[in-house]
Amino acid sequence: MKFPVVPVFILILFSCVVSAIWFISPADKDTGPKTWSAFIYNHGYNSGKYKKTDNFDSYDACSDFAREQSAVYDDAPWECGSMCQFESRKQGFQCEEMKNEH
C-alpha cells in the first residue's frame, strides 16, 4: 500500500492555517482594563492639534476633566475616547468609542 503524501500534506497545511487564525483572534487583543482618554481641541476641532490626557477610570471622570480644560481654552471642543491607541498609518489616535455627552 502506498502512503498518501498529498492528502496528508494538505491536512497538515489546513491545520496550520486554522490554528493561526485561532491564535490571532480579536478577542485576544483586549487584555487590559477599559480606560478613557480626554481630547481637548484647543485650536478647533478640525485643526488636528489637541491636548490628550490618559488613564481615566470612567467616562464621567474623563468628561469632568475635559469640561474643566475646555473652559480654560475658551470652551474648546472636547471628546473622551475609550481604549485609544496610536495608529501609525493614519498618524493619529484611534479609539474604540468616542463620546461627548453634555
Side-chain angles (χ1 to χ4, degrees), residues 34-82:
K34 185 172 186 176
T35 59
W36 291 86
S37 299
F39 294 87
I40 314 301
Y41 303 99
N42 55 336
H43 294 286
Y45 187 74
N46 292 322
S47 71
K49 294 184 178 182
Y50 51 83
K51 302 228 182 254
K52 179 177 174 281
T53 307
D54 295 319
N55 297 328
F56 294 100
D57 293 334
S58 66
Y59 172 76
D60 293 331
C62 179
S63 66
D64 290 343
F65 175 81
R67 285 186 186 121
E68 290 173 10
Q69 292 299 305
S70 173
V72 170
Y73 295 106
D74 297 325
D75 294 325
W78 62 270
E79 286 182 304
C80 286
S82 67

Side-chain angles (χ1 to χ4, degrees), residues 15-28:
S15 298
C16 290
V17 169
V18 168
S19 63
I21 292 171
W22 176 267
F23 287 116
I24 306 174
S25 66
D28 292 338

